[in-house]
Amino acid sequence: MDKKLQIGLFGFGTVGQGIYRVIEKAPNAHAEIRRICVRDITRHRSAPARLFTDQAADILDDPDTDLIVEVIDNAEASFSIVSEALRRGIPVVSGNKAMIARHLPELIELQKLNNTALLYDASSCGSIPVIRNLEEYYDNDLLLEVKGILNGSSNYILSRVFDHGESYSDALAKAQALGFAESDPTFDIEGFDSLFKLVIITVHALGVYVNPDQIFTYGISTIHDSDIRYAREKGVKIKLVAQVAKVGKGKFTMFVMPEFVRPGKYIYSVDDEYNGVVIRGECYDRQFMFGKGAGALPTASSILSDIMARRHDYRYEYKKMHYLDRPAYTADIDLRIYVRYSSTPVPDLLPFRSIREQYISEESCYVIGDINLEDLRANRDLLSAPDVFVANTSGFFEDLD
Ligand code: HSE
């Protein structure tokens, strides 16, 4: 057999350590970690000291590096390593969703110019092979929607709070201790991690890149007992959902926000750190992918799959980005949302098209109404008030997803 694939690994945090362990379990990968670049070389590590360096050049300049695996958690440092590797023609496997979502157009260009590959299935939904499936299988006009729970930590927190009556802060601390959360967990709970994954998914689903700053994103940090009580009374669960969907001719929309999910929906049963992705299309209706979305080994298993794919020279072709007839992004759609508030006068400030239901009490109030997504986006700051929580009531494509 050929010589072992020599891997230069950047990052030895939760996922980096997972990769080290997973490669040991996978003799058929015929791969070995040659060097590991970390920020602080003095820390004790669970791998032989001779492997570690704090100099990126020790990996990038090494002519025997066949492949770079990058799993550091600083998006800008990650971009500089990944772009430099691609410029040198070294293929890269990365799990860095923030970096990829922010720089994908440039990274696609770099792959083309330097005839090399960047694979990143691990960036979206941990162990679920969502990117490669969207890229390779759903290559047609039939795809209508990709929707799901893309963040393990927030889903874990919601499950612990909703099903086990734990406090939000205890649940968050556990998500951190279990290695699900980002080093800055704001990314998880404010919906940005889901947003970055959604941006990447949309490139492979519809062939269109949308800058993350253009997308309405709302997380779970202001959820309150009264929201949980309301959801329980209605027999639904609150899930943080990311969604991209075609809407009308030649248009699609996308957003991230909590949703009241009814029993019977596939994602209703997606609990703890699991992720679930519903792919809906003409002719085949709905398909559902389910699996662990966070944690060292699930994410490392996806990295391993990309490493194996590189053994066969696999690369994304971004075929859909070259189609003449690509849908255009719009936020001009109406959603029916629930907004809970206490001191912020939400019904006076948010430009609802119509109000369907309103409840006022001393402790907390809520309103359910129809609103344009553009208006929600324009009023994003108002919705950040600590007494406000927003959830989609899933009036959008209600019986389809
Ligand atoms: N923090 C992320 C999550 C890790 O909780 O889903 C996996 O991307």
Side-chain angles (χ1 to χ4, degrees), residues 331-390:
D332 183 14
I333 56 140
D334 283 354
L335 297 174
R336 183 162 300 170
I337 58 162
Y338 157 102
V339 190
R340 192 257 311 135
Y341 59 97
S342 49
S343 54
T344 306
V346 168
D348 302 333
L349 298 175
L350 263 193
F352 283 104
R353 286 198 199 280
S354 62
I355 291 199
R356 304 278 169 167
E357 196 179 319
Q358 198 164 357
Y359 170 83
I360 297 173
S361 80
E362 269 188 22
E363 191 210 344
S364 80
C365 315
Y366 71 78
V367 57
I368 294 179
D370 296 340
I371 189 164
N372 193 271
L373 183 57
E374 283 288 13
D375 290 329
L376 263 189
R377 224 169 47 160
N379 286 280
R380 183 64 189 80
D381 287 350
L382 161 75
L383 302 172
S384 302
D387 66 310
V388 174
F389 177 71
V390 178

Short mmCIF file of all heavy atoms in Angstrom, two decimals, residues 331-390:
data_model
loop_
_atom_site.label_atom_id
_atom_site.label_comp_id
_atom_site.label_asym_id
_atom_site.label_seq_id
_atom_site.Cartn_x
_atom_site.Cartn_y
_atom_site.Cartn_z
N ALA A 331 -36.08 38.30 1.87
CA ALA A 331 -36.64 38.26 3.23
C ALA A 331 -38.05 38.83 3.18
O ALA A 331 -38.64 39.11 4.23
CB ALA A 331 -35.75 39.04 4.19
N ASP A 332 -38.58 38.97 1.97
CA ASP A 332 -39.93 39.53 1.83
C ASP A 332 -40.97 38.41 1.90
O ASP A 332 -41.60 38.04 0.91
CB ASP A 332 -40.02 40.29 0.49
CG ASP A 332 -41.37 40.96 0.33
OD1 ASP A 332 -42.11 41.06 1.33
OD2 ASP A 332 -41.69 41.36 -0.80
N ILE A 333 -41.09 37.84 3.09
CA ILE A 333 -42.11 36.81 3.31
C ILE A 333 -42.76 37.08 4.67
O ILE A 333 -42.14 37.70 5.54
CB ILE A 333 -41.52 35.38 3.34
CG1 ILE A 333 -40.41 35.28 4.40
CG2 ILE A 333 -41.01 34.93 2.00
CD1 ILE A 333 -40.47 33.99 5.13
N ASP A 334 -43.96 36.60 4.84
CA ASP A 334 -44.63 36.81 6.12
C ASP A 334 -44.52 35.57 7.00
O ASP A 334 -44.65 34.45 6.52
CB ASP A 334 -46.12 37.12 5.88
CG ASP A 334 -46.30 38.55 5.42
OD1 ASP A 334 -45.30 39.30 5.40
OD2 ASP A 334 -47.43 38.92 5.08
N LEU A 335 -44.28 35.81 8.27
CA LEU A 335 -44.22 34.73 9.26
C LEU A 335 -45.25 35.02 10.35
O LEU A 335 -45.56 36.19 10.61
CB LEU A 335 -42.84 34.69 9.93
CG LEU A 335 -41.65 34.38 9.04
CD1 LEU A 335 -40.37 34.54 9.85
CD2 LEU A 335 -41.73 32.98 8.49
N ARG A 336 -45.73 33.98 10.95
CA ARG A 336 -46.60 34.19 12.13
C ARG A 336 -45.75 33.89 13.37
O ARG A 336 -45.31 32.75 13.56
CB ARG A 336 -47.81 33.27 12.06
CG ARG A 336 -48.76 33.51 13.21
CD ARG A 336 -50.13 32.93 12.94
NE ARG A 336 -50.70 33.56 11.74
CZ ARG A 336 -51.82 33.15 11.13
NH1 ARG A 336 -52.48 32.12 11.60
NH2 ARG A 336 -52.25 33.77 10.05
N ILE A 337 -45.52 34.91 14.17
CA ILE A 337 -44.60 34.73 15.30
C ILE A 337 -45.28 35.00 16.64
O ILE A 337 -46.29 35.71 16.71
CB ILE A 337 -43.34 35.64 15.19
CG1 ILE A 337 -43.74 37.12 15.11
CG2 ILE A 337 -42.50 35.24 13.99
CD1 ILE A 337 -42.58 38.05 15.42
N TYR A 338 -44.68 34.40 17.65
CA TYR A 338 -45.07 34.64 19.05
C TYR A 338 -43.99 35.54 19.63
O TYR A 338 -42.80 35.26 19.45
CB TYR A 338 -45.09 33.28 19.75
CG TYR A 338 -44.92 33.23 21.25
CD1 TYR A 338 -46.02 33.04 22.09
CD2 TYR A 338 -43.65 33.28 21.84
CE1 TYR A 338 -45.86 32.95 23.48
CE2 TYR A 338 -43.48 33.18 23.22
CZ TYR A 338 -44.59 33.02 24.03
OH TYR A 338 -44.43 32.90 25.39
N VAL A 339 -44.38 36.62 20.27
CA VAL A 339 -43.39 37.46 20.97
C VAL A 339 -43.87 37.64 22.41
O VAL A 339 -44.95 38.14 22.66
CB VAL A 339 -43.25 38.86 20.32
CG1 VAL A 339 -42.05 39.57 20.93
CG2 VAL A 339 -43.11 38.77 18.82
N ARG A 340 -43.03 37.18 23.35
CA ARG A 340 -43.34 37.38 24.77
C ARG A 340 -42.54 38.59 25.25
O ARG A 340 -41.39 38.79 24.85
CB ARG A 340 -42.97 36.11 25.56
CG ARG A 340 -43.51 36.12 26.98
CD ARG A 340 -42.45 36.45 27.99
NE ARG A 340 -41.27 35.63 27.78
CZ ARG A 340 -40.05 36.11 27.81
NH1 ARG A 340 -39.81 37.39 28.05
NH2 ARG A 340 -39.01 35.31 27.61
N TYR A 341 -43.15 39.40 26.09
CA TYR A 341 -42.49 40.64 26.56
C TYR A 341 -43.08 41.00 27.91
O TYR A 341 -44.11 40.43 28.32
CB TYR A 341 -42.71 41.77 25.54
CG TYR A 341 -44.18 42.07 25.32
CD1 TYR A 341 -44.81 43.12 26.01
CD2 TYR A 341 -44.95 41.31 24.44
CE1 TYR A 341 -46.16 43.38 25.83
CE2 TYR A 341 -46.30 41.57 24.26
CZ TYR A 341 -46.91 42.59 24.96
OH TYR A 341 -48.24 42.84 24.79
N SER A 342 -42.41 41.94 28.59
CA SER A 342 -43.03 42.49 29.80
C SER A 342 -42.99 44.02 29.74
O SER A 342 -44.01 44.64 29.49
CB SER A 342 -42.41 41.92 31.07
OG SER A 342 -41.02 41.99 31.02
N SER A 343 -41.78 44.61 29.86
CA SER A 343 -41.76 46.09 29.87
C SER A 343 -41.65 46.70 28.47
O SER A 343 -42.11 47.81 28.23
CB SER A 343 -40.62 46.58 30.76
OG SER A 343 -39.42 46.00 30.33
N THR A 344 -41.03 46.01 27.51
CA THR A 344 -40.92 46.56 26.15
C THR A 344 -42.30 46.51 25.48
O THR A 344 -42.88 45.42 25.40
CB THR A 344 -39.91 45.72 25.32
OG1 THR A 344 -38.68 45.65 26.04
CG2 THR A 344 -39.67 46.33 23.95
N PRO A 345 -42.82 47.64 25.00
CA PRO A 345 -44.17 47.62 24.41
C PRO A 345 -44.16 47.05 22.98
O PRO A 345 -44.33 47.77 22.00
CB PRO A 345 -44.57 49.10 24.42
CG PRO A 345 -43.29 49.85 24.41
CD PRO A 345 -42.23 48.99 25.04
N VAL A 346 -43.97 45.76 22.90
CA VAL A 346 -43.76 45.10 21.60
C VAL A 346 -44.88 45.37 20.59
O VAL A 346 -44.61 45.74 19.45
CB VAL A 346 -43.53 43.58 21.82
CG1 VAL A 346 -43.59 42.82 20.51
CG2 VAL A 346 -42.19 43.36 22.48
N PRO A 347 -46.16 45.22 20.97
CA PRO A 347 -47.21 45.40 19.95
C PRO A 347 -47.20 46.82 19.35
O PRO A 347 -47.60 47.01 18.22
CB PRO A 347 -48.51 45.14 20.70
CG PRO A 347 -48.11 44.36 21.91
CD PRO A 347 -46.73 44.83 22.26
N ASP A 348 -46.74 47.81 20.14
CA ASP A 348 -46.69 49.18 19.61
C ASP A 348 -45.48 49.39 18.71
O ASP A 348 -45.50 50.25 17.83
CB ASP A 348 -46.58 50.20 20.76
CG ASP A 348 -47.75 50.07 21.73
OD1 ASP A 348 -48.82 49.62 21.27
OD2 ASP A 348 -47.57 50.40 22.92
N LEU A 349 -44.45 48.65 18.95
CA LEU A 349 -43.19 48.94 18.25
C LEU A 349 -42.96 48.05 17.02
O LEU A 349 -42.34 48.47 16.06
CB LEU A 349 -42.00 48.77 19.22
CG LEU A 349 -42.01 49.73 20.41
CD1 LEU A 349 -40.86 49.41 21.37
CD2 LEU A 349 -41.88 51.17 19.94
N LEU A 350 -43.44 46.84 17.06
CA LEU A 350 -43.20 45.92 15.93
C LEU A 350 -44.32 46.10 14.89
O LEU A 350 -45.50 46.03 15.25
CB LEU A 350 -43.23 44.46 16.40
CG LEU A 350 -41.94 43.74 16.73
CD1 LEU A 350 -42.22 42.25 16.86
CD2 LEU A 350 -40.83 43.98 15.73
N PRO A 351 -43.94 46.29 13.62
CA PRO A 351 -44.97 46.52 12.60
C PRO A 351 -45.67 45.23 12.15
O PRO A 351 -45.46 44.75 11.04
CB PRO A 351 -44.18 47.16 11.46
CG PRO A 351 -42.80 46.65 11.61
CD PRO A 351 -42.58 46.38 13.07
N PHE A 352 -46.51 44.68 13.04
CA PHE A 352 -47.27 43.49 12.66
C PHE A 352 -48.24 43.84 11.53
O PHE A 352 -48.83 44.91 11.54
CB PHE A 352 -48.09 42.99 13.86
CG PHE A 352 -47.28 42.24 14.88
CD1 PHE A 352 -46.92 42.84 16.08
CD2 PHE A 352 -46.88 40.94 14.62
CE1 PHE A 352 -46.17 42.14 17.02
CE2 PHE A 352 -46.14 40.23 15.58
CZ PHE A 352 -45.78 40.84 16.77
N ARG A 353 -48.43 42.92 10.58
CA ARG A 353 -49.46 43.11 9.55
C ARG A 353 -50.84 42.88 10.17
O ARG A 353 -51.80 43.55 9.85
CB ARG A 353 -49.25 42.12 8.40
CG ARG A 353 -48.08 42.46 7.52
CD ARG A 353 -48.24 41.71 6.20
NE ARG A 353 -46.99 41.61 5.47
CZ ARG A 353 -46.48 42.58 4.73
NH1 ARG A 353 -47.10 43.73 4.64
NH2 ARG A 353 -45.35 42.40 4.08
N SER A 354 -50.87 41.86 11.05
CA SER A 354 -52.12 41.65 11.79
C SER A 354 -51.80 40.92 13.08
O SER A 354 -50.81 40.16 13.15
CB SER A 354 -53.11 40.84 10.96
OG SER A 354 -52.56 39.58 10.70
N ILE A 355 -52.63 41.15 14.08
CA ILE A 355 -52.43 40.48 15.37
C ILE A 355 -53.51 39.42 15.51
O ILE A 355 -54.69 39.68 15.31
CB ILE A 355 -52.46 41.51 16.50
CG1 ILE A 355 -51.20 42.37 16.36
CG2 ILE A 355 -52.54 40.82 17.86
CD1 ILE A 355 -50.75 43.14 17.54
N ARG A 356 -53.08 38.20 15.82
CA ARG A 356 -54.01 37.07 15.89
C ARG A 356 -54.45 36.78 17.31
O ARG A 356 -55.53 36.26 17.54
CB ARG A 356 -53.34 35.80 15.33
CG ARG A 356 -52.82 35.94 13.93
CD ARG A 356 -53.95 35.73 12.99
NE ARG A 356 -53.57 36.12 11.63
CZ ARG A 356 -54.28 35.80 10.56
NH1 ARG A 356 -55.41 35.12 10.69
NH2 ARG A 356 -53.89 36.18 9.38
N GLU A 357 -53.56 37.04 18.25
CA GLU A 357 -53.85 36.67 19.63
C GLU A 357 -53.00 37.55 20.53
O GLU A 357 -51.85 37.86 20.19
CB GLU A 357 -53.44 35.20 19.81
CG GLU A 357 -53.99 34.52 21.04
CD GLU A 357 -53.52 33.04 21.10
OE1 GLU A 357 -53.50 32.35 20.07
OE2 GLU A 357 -53.16 32.63 22.21
N GLN A 358 -53.56 37.94 21.65
CA GLN A 358 -52.77 38.77 22.56
C GLN A 358 -53.15 38.42 23.99
O GLN A 358 -54.33 38.18 24.28
CB GLN A 358 -53.07 40.25 22.30
CG GLN A 358 -52.02 41.16 22.85
CD GLN A 358 -52.10 42.57 22.26
OE1 GLN A 358 -52.93 42.84 21.40
NE2 GLN A 358 -51.26 43.45 22.74
N TYR A 359 -52.16 38.38 24.86
CA TYR A 359 -52.41 38.05 26.25
C TYR A 359 -51.63 39.05 27.11
O TYR A 359 -50.44 39.28 26.87
CB TYR A 359 -51.93 36.61 26.53
CG TYR A 359 -51.93 36.23 27.99
CD1 TYR A 359 -53.10 35.81 28.62
CD2 TYR A 359 -50.75 36.30 28.74
CE1 TYR A 359 -53.09 35.47 29.96
CE2 TYR A 359 -50.74 35.96 30.08
CZ TYR A 359 -51.91 35.54 30.68
OH TYR A 359 -51.90 35.21 32.01
N ILE A 360 -52.31 39.63 28.06
CA ILE A 360 -51.64 40.63 28.89
C ILE A 360 -51.84 40.26 30.36
O ILE A 360 -52.96 39.98 30.79
CB ILE A 360 -52.24 42.04 28.62
CG1 ILE A 360 -51.96 42.43 27.16
CG2 ILE A 360 -51.67 43.08 29.58
CD1 ILE A 360 -52.63 43.69 26.70
N SER A 361 -50.74 40.20 31.09
CA SER A 361 -50.85 40.00 32.54
C SER A 361 -49.73 40.79 33.21
O SER A 361 -48.84 41.29 32.53
CB SER A 361 -50.74 38.52 32.90
OG SER A 361 -49.39 38.14 32.90
N GLU A 362 -49.76 40.86 34.50
CA GLU A 362 -48.72 41.64 35.18
C GLU A 362 -47.36 41.01 35.02
O GLU A 362 -46.36 41.67 34.84
CB GLU A 362 -49.06 41.75 36.67
CG GLU A 362 -49.88 42.97 36.93
CD GLU A 362 -50.07 43.23 38.39
OE1 GLU A 362 -49.28 42.75 39.20
OE2 GLU A 362 -51.03 43.94 38.72
N GLU A 363 -47.34 39.69 35.05
CA GLU A 363 -46.06 38.99 35.02
C GLU A 363 -45.42 39.03 33.62
O GLU A 363 -44.27 39.39 33.45
CB GLU A 363 -46.27 37.53 35.46
CG GLU A 363 -44.97 36.80 35.71
CD GLU A 363 -45.10 35.32 35.43
OE1 GLU A 363 -46.24 34.80 35.34
OE2 GLU A 363 -44.06 34.69 35.27
N SER A 364 -46.19 38.64 32.62
CA SER A 364 -45.67 38.70 31.25
C SER A 364 -46.82 38.70 30.25
O SER A 364 -47.93 38.24 30.55
CB SER A 364 -44.71 37.55 30.99
OG SER A 364 -45.41 36.38 30.71
N CYS A 365 -46.51 39.21 29.07
CA CYS A 365 -47.53 39.32 28.02
C CYS A 365 -47.00 38.61 26.78
O CYS A 365 -45.80 38.40 26.63
CB CYS A 365 -47.73 40.79 27.64
SG CYS A 365 -47.85 41.88 29.06
N TYR A 366 -47.90 38.26 25.89
CA TYR A 366 -47.43 37.80 24.59
C TYR A 366 -48.40 38.24 23.51
O TYR A 366 -49.57 38.53 23.78
CB TYR A 366 -47.20 36.28 24.54
CG TYR A 366 -48.45 35.42 24.57
CD1 TYR A 366 -49.23 35.25 23.42
CD2 TYR A 366 -48.83 34.77 25.72
CE1 TYR A 366 -50.36 34.44 23.44
CE2 TYR A 366 -49.97 33.99 25.75
CZ TYR A 366 -50.73 33.81 24.62
OH TYR A 366 -51.86 33.03 24.65
N VAL A 367 -47.85 38.26 22.31
CA VAL A 367 -48.67 38.58 21.16
C VAL A 367 -48.31 37.58 20.07
O VAL A 367 -47.15 37.18 19.95
CB VAL A 367 -48.41 40.05 20.72
CG1 VAL A 367 -46.95 40.32 20.43
CG2 VAL A 367 -49.24 40.44 19.53
N ILE A 368 -49.31 37.14 19.32
CA ILE A 368 -49.04 36.30 18.15
C ILE A 368 -49.57 37.06 16.95
O ILE A 368 -50.73 37.50 16.95
CB ILE A 368 -49.73 34.92 18.27
CG1 ILE A 368 -49.10 34.15 19.43
CG2 ILE A 368 -49.61 34.14 16.96
CD1 ILE A 368 -49.71 32.79 19.68
N GLY A 369 -48.70 37.27 15.99
CA GLY A 369 -49.15 38.05 14.84
C GLY A 369 -48.34 37.75 13.60
O GLY A 369 -47.32 37.06 13.65
N ASP A 370 -48.83 38.30 12.48
CA ASP A 370 -48.14 38.11 11.20
C ASP A 370 -47.23 39.31 10.96
O ASP A 370 -47.65 40.45 11.15
CB ASP A 370 -49.16 37.99 10.06
CG ASP A 370 -50.02 36.75 10.24
OD1 ASP A 370 -49.58 35.84 10.97
OD2 ASP A 370 -51.11 36.68 9.65
N ILE A 371 -46.03 39.00 10.51
CA ILE A 371 -45.06 40.09 10.30
C ILE A 371 -44.15 39.70 9.15
O ILE A 371 -43.88 38.51 8.93
CB ILE A 371 -44.26 40.36 11.61
CG1 ILE A 371 -43.42 41.62 11.47
CG2 ILE A 371 -43.41 39.17 12.00
CD1 ILE A 371 -42.92 42.18 12.79
N ASN A 372 -43.70 40.71 8.43
CA ASN A 372 -42.77 40.45 7.33
C ASN A 372 -41.36 40.22 7.90
O ASN A 372 -40.95 40.91 8.83
CB ASN A 372 -42.79 41.63 6.37
CG ASN A 372 -42.11 41.30 5.06
OD1 ASN A 372 -40.90 41.48 4.93
ND2 ASN A 372 -42.87 40.78 4.11
N LEU A 373 -40.67 39.26 7.31
CA LEU A 373 -39.32 38.95 7.80
C LEU A 373 -38.38 40.15 7.68
O LEU A 373 -37.51 40.35 8.52
CB LEU A 373 -38.77 37.72 7.03
CG LEU A 373 -37.43 37.17 7.41
CD1 LEU A 373 -37.36 36.76 8.88
CD2 LEU A 373 -37.06 35.96 6.53
N GLU A 374 -38.56 40.97 6.64
CA GLU A 374 -37.76 42.21 6.50
C GLU A 374 -37.95 43.10 7.73
O GLU A 374 -37.00 43.69 8.23
CB GLU A 374 -38.22 43.02 5.28
CG GLU A 374 -37.75 42.50 3.95
CD GLU A 374 -36.27 42.72 3.71
OE1 GLU A 374 -35.53 43.07 4.67
OE2 GLU A 374 -35.84 42.49 2.58
N ASP A 375 -39.21 43.18 8.19
CA ASP A 375 -39.49 44.04 9.35
C ASP A 375 -38.91 43.45 10.63
O ASP A 375 -38.46 44.18 11.51
CB ASP A 375 -41.01 44.23 9.51
CG ASP A 375 -41.57 45.10 8.40
OD1 ASP A 375 -40.84 45.97 7.91
OD2 ASP A 375 -42.73 44.89 8.01
N LEU A 376 -38.91 42.14 10.70
CA LEU A 376 -38.28 41.50 11.87
C LEU A 376 -36.79 41.83 11.88
O LEU A 376 -36.21 42.15 12.92
CB LEU A 376 -38.42 39.99 11.77
CG LEU A 376 -39.55 39.30 12.50
CD1 LEU A 376 -39.38 37.80 12.44
CD2 LEU A 376 -39.62 39.75 13.96
N ARG A 377 -36.18 41.72 10.70
CA ARG A 377 -34.75 42.00 10.58
C ARG A 377 -34.45 43.45 10.95
O ARG A 377 -33.53 43.74 11.69
CB ARG A 377 -34.34 41.75 9.13
CG ARG A 377 -33.06 40.99 8.99
CD ARG A 377 -32.81 40.54 7.60
NE ARG A 377 -33.01 41.57 6.60
CZ ARG A 377 -32.49 41.52 5.38
NH1 ARG A 377 -31.73 40.49 5.04
NH2 ARG A 377 -32.72 42.46 4.50
N ALA A 378 -35.29 44.35 10.46
CA ALA A 378 -35.08 45.79 10.72
C ALA A 378 -35.23 46.11 12.22
O ALA A 378 -34.67 47.08 12.70
CB ALA A 378 -36.06 46.61 9.90
N ASN A 379 -35.99 45.28 12.93
CA ASN A 379 -36.24 45.54 14.35
C ASN A 379 -35.46 44.58 15.25
O ASN A 379 -35.83 44.35 16.39
CB ASN A 379 -37.73 45.43 14.65
CG ASN A 379 -38.48 46.63 14.11
OD1 ASN A 379 -38.49 47.68 14.72
ND2 ASN A 379 -39.07 46.48 12.93
N ARG A 380 -34.38 44.06 14.73
CA ARG A 380 -33.62 43.05 15.46
C ARG A 380 -33.16 43.56 16.83
O ARG A 380 -33.18 42.80 17.81
CB ARG A 380 -32.42 42.59 14.61
CG ARG A 380 -31.60 41.48 15.22
CD ARG A 380 -32.41 40.22 15.37
NE ARG A 380 -31.69 39.21 16.13
CZ ARG A 380 -31.60 39.19 17.46
NH1 ARG A 380 -32.14 40.15 18.20
NH2 ARG A 380 -30.96 38.21 18.07
N ASP A 381 -32.75 44.84 16.90
CA ASP A 381 -32.24 45.37 18.17
C ASP A 381 -33.33 45.39 19.25
O ASP A 381 -33.08 45.04 20.40
CB ASP A 381 -31.69 46.79 18.00
CG ASP A 381 -30.36 46.76 17.26
OD1 ASP A 381 -29.82 45.63 17.08
OD2 ASP A 381 -29.88 47.82 16.85
N LEU A 382 -34.51 45.79 18.83
CA LEU A 382 -35.64 45.81 19.76
C LEU A 382 -35.87 44.42 20.36
O LEU A 382 -36.15 44.27 21.55
CB LEU A 382 -36.89 46.28 19.00
CG LEU A 382 -38.25 45.98 19.60
CD1 LEU A 382 -38.50 46.94 20.76
CD2 LEU A 382 -39.36 46.15 18.57
N LEU A 383 -35.71 43.41 19.52
CA LEU A 383 -35.99 42.04 19.97
C LEU A 383 -34.89 41.49 20.88
O LEU A 383 -35.03 40.41 21.45
CB LEU A 383 -36.17 41.12 18.75
CG LEU A 383 -37.29 41.56 17.79
CD1 LEU A 383 -37.26 40.72 16.53
CD2 LEU A 383 -38.65 41.46 18.47
N SER A 384 -33.79 42.24 20.99
CA SER A 384 -32.69 41.79 21.87
C SER A 384 -32.94 42.18 23.32
O SER A 384 -32.16 41.80 24.20
CB SER A 384 -31.37 42.44 21.46
OG SER A 384 -31.08 42.12 20.15
N ALA A 385 -33.99 42.94 23.60
CA ALA A 385 -34.26 43.34 24.98
C ALA A 385 -34.41 42.09 25.85
O ALA A 385 -34.99 41.09 25.41
CB ALA A 385 -35.53 44.17 25.02
N PRO A 386 -33.88 42.14 27.08
CA PRO A 386 -33.90 40.92 27.91
C PRO A 386 -35.29 40.42 28.27
O PRO A 386 -35.45 39.25 28.63
CB PRO A 386 -33.14 41.34 29.18
CG PRO A 386 -32.89 42.79 29.08
CD PRO A 386 -33.15 43.25 27.69
N ASP A 387 -36.30 41.28 28.16
CA ASP A 387 -37.66 40.83 28.50
C ASP A 387 -38.42 40.29 27.28
O ASP A 387 -39.62 40.02 27.37
CB ASP A 387 -38.47 41.98 29.12
CG ASP A 387 -38.74 43.10 28.12
OD1 ASP A 387 -37.77 43.55 27.47
OD2 ASP A 387 -39.91 43.50 27.96
N VAL A 388 -37.71 40.15 26.16
CA VAL A 388 -38.41 39.75 24.92
C VAL A 388 -37.91 38.38 24.45
O VAL A 388 -36.71 38.09 24.51
CB VAL A 388 -38.16 40.81 23.81
CG1 VAL A 388 -38.74 40.34 22.48
CG2 VAL A 388 -38.75 42.15 24.21
N PHE A 389 -38.84 37.56 24.02
CA PHE A 389 -38.48 36.27 23.40
C PHE A 389 -39.38 36.05 22.19
O PHE A 389 -40.59 36.29 22.25
CB PHE A 389 -38.66 35.12 24.40
CG PHE A 389 -38.38 33.75 23.82
CD1 PHE A 389 -37.08 33.36 23.51
CD2 PHE A 389 -39.42 32.86 23.55
CE1 PHE A 389 -36.81 32.11 22.97
CE2 PHE A 389 -39.16 31.60 23.02
CZ PHE A 389 -37.86 31.23 22.73
N VAL A 390 -38.77 35.58 21.10
CA VAL A 390 -39.51 35.40 19.85
C VAL A 390 -39.47 33.94 19.45
O VAL A 390 -38.44 33.27 19.57
CB VAL A 390 -38.84 36.23 18.72
CG1 VAL A 390 -39.57 36.02 17.40
CG2 VAL A 390 -38.80 37.70 19.06
#
